[in-house]
Amino acid sequence: VEARFPKIVVPQSGDMRVSGRRAAILRGWCVLLALLGAALLLFGDAFARREAPFAGRFMFRTYGEEEGLSDLSVECVIQDRTGFLWAGTDVGLFRFDGRRFVKYDTGQGLPRTRISQLYEPPAGTLYVGTGLGLARRDGDRFAIIGGKSGLGPFAISHQGIAADNHGNVYVGTDRGLFVGQAEHFHEDREATGDGETAITAVHVDDKGVVYFARGGLLFQRLGGHAVEFGRPRGLPTDETIDEVLSDAKGRLWVRTLKR
């Protein structure tokens, strides 16, 4: 049996010089790779933290008279599709452009200075609800939607304006529910019920279903008819409903004056 052993080669002097240069180059690459590996170990966590989703820390800034907001009692806030921030207060409406607040009041066409709700439907018109009726933005002024348009100087609730994707605007007032488009409104007598009943909340979900509250009762508006929705599903009726919302999962949330 022939035994086989590894062949041993004795390098010559010239070969040793070439191998030495190669070894130096190889050592250089090894050092470089080692440094890169160390950098990844040191900074990898930092990069991962930088790309991690927002953890929930917020920065707050207070705005007041120095920025032009002369009333700190803010009732409602909305950001329109162009990026302006609107704040409804007890003494008027303020528009914020990122630097300064500009005030709008009865001099610019609002029916009253105290603002109860701000709403922008899919069509893009800004509606302003007050204790003396509804107004819509018209350039740098506001136009009152009054008796000639089928809507009188009625008090609009905290959540008294909503709209669907067909351009219908629903307005809940202390005299009932009104439905319209642009400047033409009419009373929904079935939703209002017997007499002039206050509508305390109006909401349209993502599917276009209209919900409205009449005191402690919650209704759906289906095919032009008002169908009671809350009580058959166990919703208490002894407290006034003042807000109705739906979430991304289709769940309906109802708030009352006490809960």
Side-chain angles (χ1 to χ4, degrees):
V1 178
E2 181 181 1
R4 294 186 179 183
F5 299 95
K7 184 178 181 181
I8 300 175
V9 178
V10 179
Q12 304 297 320
S13 60
D15 294 332
M16 292 179 66
R17 288 194 297 271
V18 174
S19 298
R21 288 196 297 271
R22 290 177 178 174
I25 295 173
L26 182 59
R27 285 195 298 270
W29 278 106
C30 289
V31 171
L32 180 59
L33 291 175
L35 290 173
L36 289 175
L40 289 175
L41 289 175
L42 288 173
F43 299 107
D45 290 341
F47 290 147
R49 288 193 298 269
R50 184 178 300 176
E51 296 177 359
F54 183 64
R57 293 184 178 180
F58 294 91
M59 296 295 293
F60 291 92
R61 178 179 175 183
T62 302
Y63 295 94
E65 294 184 0
E66 293 183 359
E67 293 80 17
L69 184 62
S70 58
D71 183 18
L72 300 181
S73 179
V74 178
E75 299 287 337
C76 47
V77 178
I78 192 175
Q79 185 175 22
D80 65 24
R81 61 184 58 205
T82 61
F84 287 111
L85 192 70
W86 297 84
T89 74
D90 288 343
V91 298
L93 179 63
F94 292 82
R95 186 186 70 181
F96 184 60
D97 61 3
R99 298 175 60 186
R100 299 287 301 172
F101 286 89
V102 177
K103 183 179 179 181
Y104 296 82
D105 54 22
T106 55
Q108 286 72 43
L110 292 175
R112 192 177 183 181
T113 56
R114 184 172 185 177
I115 311 300
S116 58
Q117 189 188 3
L118 299 171
Y119 186 83
E120 186 183 49
T125 301
L126 179 65
Y127 285 92
V128 181
T130 75
L132 284 177
L134 183 69
R136 64 176 181 85
R137 185 185 177 193
D138 185 11
D140 287 334
R141 294 185 58 82
F142 288 86
I144 297 175
I145 301 176
K148 293 182 179 180
S149 301
L151 185 64
F154 309 137
I156 297 175
S157 62
H158 162 74
Q159 194 196 18
I161 311 171
D164 59 25
N165 290 325
H166 300 291
N168 297 308
V169 179
Y170 304 88
V171 182
T173 75
D174 61 347
R175 303 291 181 89
L177 181 66
F178 292 79
V179 185
Q181 294 188 1
E183 296 184 0
H184 302 285
F185 284 80
H186 65 275
E187 182 183 1
D188 185 336
R189 295 189 179 277
E190 184 171 345
T192 301
D194 298 332
E196 297 176 343
T197 307
I199 303 298
T200 55
V202 184
H203 172 66
V204 180
D205 68 10
D206 292 339
K207 297 180 181 180
V209 179
V210 180
Y211 297 89
F212 64 92
R214 198 168 65 200
L217 301 177
L218 180 64
F219 294 85
Q220 266 187 347
R221 190 176 185 270
L222 297 175
H225 298 286
V227 179
E228 191 171 350
F229 183 83
R231 184 161 46 183
R233 291 164 176 81
L235 188 68
T237 61
D238 58 343
E239 296 183 16
T240 300
I241 299 170
D242 73 336
E243 190 158 7
V244 181
L245 295 174
S246 55
D247 60 21
K249 296 182 179 181
R251 296 175 298 190
L252 200 67
W253 298 83
V254 179
R255 186 183 75 174
T256 70
L257 294 178
K258 296 182 180 179
R259 302 179 185 178

